[in-house]
Amino acid sequence: MPLICTYYLNPKERPGFMLDRKFNKVFKNEDPLAYHSKIRRYEPTPLISLSRLAKSLEIKELYVKDESRRFRQHNFKTLGASFAIHKFLEANPGKHTFCTATDGNHGRSVAWAAKMKRQKAVIFIPVNTALSRIKNIKKQRGKVIIVDGDYDAAVLRAREEAEKNGYILIQDTSWEGYTEIPTLIAAGYKTMMMELDELLHTSKEPLIDFVFLQSGVGTWASSVVAYYRNKYPRNMPKIITVEPMESDSLLESIRQKGLSKTKGSQQTLMSGLNCGTPSYLAWKILKDGVDLFLAIPDDYAIKAMQNLYFPFKNDRQIFAGESGAAGLGGLTALAFDESLEKVKKEIGLNRQSRVLIFNTEGVTNPEMFEELIIRETEV
Ligand SMILES: Cc1ncc(COP(=O)(O)O)c(C=O)c1O
């Protein structure tokens, strides 16, 4: 059966594209790199050029910012959680219990950041979360509470428990009235981009044409869009968000012209991206900041994991989890899916294109990883 992707191409002219003022004031002024670089084991994550894989995808250049070893927690979410907790404690010193809901990576990161500051963490997880993800949270001394429901249900429970028990909610999504902490989380993610200031974006031209961003609630994508909008207001690279077909809430929201829940089954291997509804704050930025909203079946993400793990000729090997590889999955779909030929042309992805992707997680679920890197795909 052929793999089918779905998409929405935003109109070229989007005169309304402005960053939310309150958000951008914080985003621009904060220097998360100054904080992160003082943490033990801080190292900028590498930028890797994969020229052979680029050739096979019929593009000029492919760069991967590889977050797979960030702070030995194997995912980029450490940057947001640690910065938000640090800023909160700066303003409110003392002992606190931090809580959050998570599909895995964010909860592990909140527990890690709380432990580093000698604070407590309570993490709410959806009932079908993989055992290895629960273990990763427990290793960081996080108390795990299993919620009988999906990611949205876990968020609701974390909100209720925070209110009831006086926990400090460090949630990486936002809703009306809850924007301060998510803004700090998005500001924390900026460290990744500040590292790129030294590695890639050293001149007045971004030197890339496309950025692929795998998205769950969209907070990370909104941070990257804000960075480019501030740094290259007139020559921003084109932004493509990539979501699982069955959990495509950004795509659904742009179609409905307002924040909407996915109509998909939410059955996807890309568990980090399996969030029912976008972040209220991120959506304000992404609705105009994204050029192409793309949703892909799982097989493209699996193929991307395999292409990173079994490198082409002299390319470097990269360890990527299902969600981490999804950006490359989106690029792979645009390269090979015949039904995307028209949109590929319209957006201008071709043999001259220079593309940046991010591997946002390494091996966070080893059993799944072992199985997926050898699984047959339809791609
Ligand atoms: C590995 C990975 N990549 C990307 C994302 C997407 O981030 P966001 O939910 O902010 O869109 C997540 C979210 O958990 C993730 O775990």
Side-chain angles (χ1 to χ4, degrees):
M1 226 176 63
L3 294 171
I4 306 282
C5 299
T6 49
Y7 66 88
Y8 181 96
L9 184 63
N10 238 349
K12 266 203 189 104
E13 298 305 327
R14 299 191 294 278
F17 179 31
M18 293 282 287
L19 294 171
D20 182 82
R21 239 197 243 158
K22 208 167 147 199
F23 168 90
N24 202 35
K25 199 169 162 212
V26 177
F27 186 83
K28 263 169 86 171
N29 288 341
E30 292 295 350
D31 181 356
L33 182 57
Y35 168 66
H36 287 131
S37 56
K38 287 196 210 102
I39 296 178
R40 200 162 70 97
R41 299 209 175 110
Y42 168 79
E43 265 180 310
T45 57
L47 183 72
I48 299 164
S49 171
L50 298 177
S51 55
R52 293 290 171 161
L53 182 55
K55 204 166 174 200
S56 86
L57 295 168
E58 299 181 347
I59 56 169
K60 189 170 174 203
E61 237 137 4
L62 177 63
Y63 297 105
V64 187
K65 177 89 165 110
D66 181 15
E67 295 293 310
S68 62
R69 267 179 236 139
R70 178 73 78 179
F71 289 125
R72 297 200 193 166
Q73 297 302 307
H74 307 288
N75 80 93
F76 80 101
K77 293 236 152 185
T78 45
L79 297 173
S82 62
F83 190 64
I85 289 179
H86 163 70
K87 292 298 288 184
F88 178 86
L89 288 171
E90 229 178 33
N92 308 275
K95 286 283 174 204
H96 300 277
T97 298
F98 294 96
C99 82
T100 197
T102 185
D103 279 326
N105 288 331
H106 176 65
R108 173 187 193 171
S109 301
V110 167
W112 168 78
K115 185 171 115 215
M116 200 162 48
K117 298 276 192 186
R118 297 177 197 285
Q119 306 282 338
K120 287 189 180 144
V122 181
I123 313 295
F124 296 87
I125 59 166
V127 66
N128 56 6
T129 303
L131 204 62
S132 55
R133 296 190 184 278
I134 299 176
K135 277 191 196 156
N136 287 336
I137 297 168
K138 291 200 166 183
K139 258 192 218 158
Q140 298 303 325
R141 307 255 178 279
K143 179 175 172 188
V144 173
I145 296 183
I146 297 172
V147 177
D148 189 15
D150 60 9
Y151 173 80
D152 280 356
V155 173
L156 202 62
R157 178 77 185 281
R159 276 174 78 169
E160 286 166 2
E161 296 286 333
E163 200 143 298
K164 206 164 81 189
N165 303 306
Y167 299 160
I168 309 304
L169 184 63
I170 303 291
Q171 198 58 60
D172 56 347
T173 188
S174 87
W175 46 88
E176 237 175 315
Y178 182 76
T179 54
E180 254 172 62
I181 294 284
T183 298
L184 289 171
I185 290 174
Y189 295 155
K190 193 173 69 167
T191 283
M192 206 192 283
M193 307 310 292
M194 293 172 84
E195 291 169 355
L196 279 180
D197 281 340
E198 309 289 322
L199 296 166
L200 178 66
H201 299 318
T202 49
S203 71
K204 286 196 172 138
E205 292 293 325
L207 306 178
I208 47 160
D209 307 295
F210 291 92
V211 186
F212 283 72
L213 302 171
Q214 51 273 31
S215 300
V217 294
T219 299
W220 173 55
S222 73
S223 170
V224 178
V225 167
Y227 165 84
Y228 281 115
R229 176 71 183 167
N230 287 316
K231 179 147 181 156
Y232 298 111
R234 272 171 290 282
N235 51 352
M236 242 179 104
K238 290 194 175 126
I239 305 285
I240 300 177
T241 51
V242 182
E243 295 178 280
M245 267 304 259
E246 295 298 333
S247 188
D248 60 347
S249 61
L250 293 178
L251 190 53
E252 187 59 26
S253 298
I254 194 76
R255 281 190 189 125
Q256 303 297 338
K257 307 218 176 317
L259 208 62
S260 304
K261 193 173 164 97
T262 179
K263 291 199 177 97
S265 65
Q266 292 194 251
Q267 300 296 316
T268 171
L269 287 172
M270 295 174 249
S271 60
L273 312 181
N274 194 3
C275 313
T277 317
S279 155
Y280 163 81
L281 191 54
W283 179 244
K284 284 198 204 187
I285 294 162
L286 297 179
K287 67 182 174 27
D288 294 313
V290 172
D291 294 278
L292 175 66
F293 295 85
L294 180 63
I296 59 168
D298 284 354
D299 270 22
Y300 280 114
I302 299 170
K303 187 69 185 175
M305 285 173 75
Q306 296 174 351
N307 281 343
L308 293 171
Y309 183 77
F310 300 109
F312 288 58
K313 275 204 168 161
N314 299 332
D315 281 355
R316 232 161 97 179
Q317 184 183 39
I318 296 177
F319 292 73
E322 321 71 78
S323 301
L328 177 59
L331 174 61
T332 310
L334 277 167
F336 297 125
D337 186 330
E338 284 174 15
S339 71
L340 296 177
E341 243 168 50
K342 186 167 163 272
V343 69
K344 183 178 169 187
K345 215 178 226 167
E346 278 175 318
I347 199 162
L349 182 75
N350 55 44
R351 288 182 188 278
Q352 299 312 314
S353 300
R354 300 157 300 176
V355 176
L356 172 65
I357 61 166
F358 296 81
N359 173 26
T360 45
E361 75 177 339
V363 183
T364 50
N365 184 349
E367 298 81 33
M368 179 73 90
F369 184 81
E370 292 298 325
E371 199 239 303
L372 292 183
I373 47 164
I374 51 168
R375 194 191 273 192
E376 283 294 317
T377 71
E378 304 274 331
V379 182

